[in-house]
Amino acid sequence: MKPKKQVANATMKDVAVQAKVSTATVSRALMNPDKVSQSTRNRVEQAAIEVGYLPHSLGRNAKRNESRTILVIVPDICDPFFSEIIRGIEVTAADQGYLVLIGDCAHQNQQEKTFIDLIITKQIDGMLLLGSRLPFDASLEEQRNLPPMVMANEFAPELELPTVHIDNLTAAFNAVYYLQQLGHERIACIAGPEEMPLCHYRLQGYVQALRRTGMTVDPHYIARGDFTFEAGAQALSQLLALPVPPTAVFCHSDVMALGALSQAKRSGLRIPEDLSIMGFDDIALSQFCDPPLTTVQQPRFDIGREAMLLLLDQLHGEIVSSGSRLLDCDLIERGTTSAPGMRK
């Protein structure tokens, strides 16, 4: 049979046509070769090489599963929060001779096929999720056929994965309690997206701190944002327009806190005399804004390192239990918080 000419961006369907089998058989032959006969597996692998879906070297490596490459799925590569987590992952991976690929989930529809192809063709040995969702649809049964996975930063118990993160509820509670100890009674919250588990826990921490001291939880004092500078600025504008605006704001991220800080200055407010602002994460920029940002310091490098070590344990054949590994975090007091109306 004359080999089919290689096509640019060959797909599983191209392989199926060349091998005269269904795309489901191609998927099984490449991802779960034990589920098909040796002859079918050979025909699919040969077809994949002929149409350019698999290079010759990859066809051989796929059987031995020796890519020594890890895929890291990032919710948004533009968010500076993830830089230190990724550095923790990369330093730890490099020590063991592994390469790290970064996949940006912010453009999931375009990337979904790429992620699936990397798995099926065994170009990756494992995955690290920095968000709470897989970058493609997969049932719990289908997940068991995926490479080893670890979640970092988030916690999604339904995925049944080993997870490294902080106690977001307690950290948020402590941050709001700190503002209460300064004397603030009108404390607002700029929360992240409702569908993100960590935002749910941070909002619960805010609510519990208010209730613990007998304060009323006013839904008008809770604004939502998407972890961008613009969202923080817009949320603060919304809060400042209230008949009785807050004297302090707890933000679910430093990026939104910095957006709020900028908006507060544009509105003619003095920080912290007129408004105290609390961030979350301790990104590098929080030390260099004016005034420097009071925030919750997450051990971002350590989160990345510990998650990568858990993944390496799995790759080395060790049994790793699912569930949380909690790391400590600290409240860093800087210049954006004070007692209401007080000059620091």
Side-chain angles (χ1 to χ4, degrees):
M1 182 175 67
K2 186 179 179 182
K4 182 177 178 180
K5 184 180 178 183
Q6 292 198 0
V7 296
N9 300 319
T11 66
M12 221 185 296
K13 187 174 180 183
D14 295 319
V15 178
V17 170
Q18 177 73 352
K20 295 185 171 59
V21 296
S22 67
T23 52
T25 299
V26 173
S27 175
R28 277 195 299 274
L30 295 175
M31 185 180 281
N32 298 300
D34 295 340
K35 298 287 179 71
V36 300
S37 67
Q38 182 69 48
S39 62
T40 299
R41 191 187 321 161
N42 291 344
R43 192 158 85 247
V44 168
E45 285 188 358
Q46 185 59 36
I49 290 168
E50 288 172 358
V51 301
Y53 195 75
L54 280 178
H56 284 272
S57 59
L58 188 57
R60 288 193 296 273
N61 283 343
K63 297 173 189 174
R64 298 201 306 269
N65 198 20
E66 293 178 342
S67 75
R68 298 193 74 79
T69 302
I70 303 302
L71 176 63
V72 178
I73 303 295
V74 185
D76 184 359
I77 199 70
C78 297
D79 189 334
F81 165 76
F82 294 107
S83 59
E84 274 297 288
I85 295 182
I86 293 170
R87 195 171 72 84
I89 292 168
E90 289 206 303
V91 167
T92 311
D95 284 345
Q96 298 294 320
Y98 281 83
L99 178 70
V100 173
L101 296 180
I102 306 294
D104 183 8
C105 230
H107 308 98
Q108 182 178 339
N109 292 337
Q110 296 95 314
Q111 295 280 33
E112 181 172 311
K113 178 191 175 298
T114 303
F115 297 148
I116 293 173
D117 286 353
L118 286 171
I119 293 167
I120 289 176
T121 57
K122 293 185 170 60
Q123 294 181 64
I124 57 168
D125 291 345
M127 296 171 63
L128 284 169
L129 305 180
L130 303 193
S132 60
R133 295 173 54 204
L134 284 169
F136 44 78
D137 290 329
S139 67
L140 204 56
E141 184 60 37
E142 289 169 330
Q143 285 173 38
R144 295 190 175 101
N145 294 324
L146 295 174
M149 290 189 288
V150 172
M151 180 173 287
N153 179 54
E154 265 286 16
F155 180 55
E158 68 277 4
L159 290 180
E160 299 181 2
L161 296 178
T163 307
V164 181
H165 60 112
I166 65 164
D167 183 344
N168 283 285
L169 192 154
T170 301
F173 178 95
N174 291 340
V176 176
Y177 182 69
Y178 162 81
L179 293 172
Q180 292 172 319
Q181 292 295 101
L182 289 175
H184 291 279
E185 296 181 355
R186 302 199 307 273
I187 304 172
C189 179
I190 298 179
E194 203 167 350
E195 66 274 9
M196 293 182 67
L198 65 82
C199 297
H200 170 77
Y201 293 123
R202 290 178 194 174
L203 188 58
Q204 283 301 305
Y206 164 80
V207 168
Q208 287 187 21
L210 295 187
R211 286 179 176 163
R212 185 71 60 89
T213 55
M215 292 184 181
T216 302
V217 179
D218 184 347
H220 295 100
Y221 271 19
I222 300 172
R224 289 278 181 183
D226 61 358
F227 286 143
T228 60
F229 296 107
E230 293 81 4
Q234 185 175 348
L236 188 71
S237 291
Q238 178 184 326
L239 294 168
L240 293 179
L242 293 171
V244 183
T247 62
V249 179
F250 165 59
C251 304
H252 279 192
S253 77
D254 284 351
V255 168
M256 291 197 295
L258 292 169
L261 175 61
S262 175
Q263 182 62 39
K265 289 180 176 180
R266 285 198 297 271
S267 301
L269 297 181
R270 299 167 303 159
I271 308 296
E273 296 88 347
D274 300 326
L275 180 71
S276 285
I277 298 176
M278 167 77 71
F280 204 111
D281 294 333
D282 194 30
I283 62 173
L285 191 55
S286 65
Q287 299 177 53
F288 299 102
C289 57
D290 180 29
L293 184 67
T294 299
T295 187
V296 176
Q297 183 184 63
Q298 289 209 63
R300 294 181 296 140
F301 182 91
D302 292 344
I303 288 173
R305 181 184 62 198
E306 293 302 315
M308 187 65 214
L309 288 173
L310 276 179
L311 186 58
L312 287 168
D313 284 346
Q314 291 186 71
L315 296 176
H316 295 153
E318 297 181 28
I319 303 299
V320 177
S321 63
S322 62
S324 294
R325 278 76 170 169
L326 288 177
L327 300 185
D328 293 332
C329 59
D330 298 305
L331 197 151
I332 308 296
E333 185 178 9
R334 296 196 181 106
T336 56
T337 51
S338 71
M342 295 288 290
R343 181 176 293 277
K344 296 192 88 171

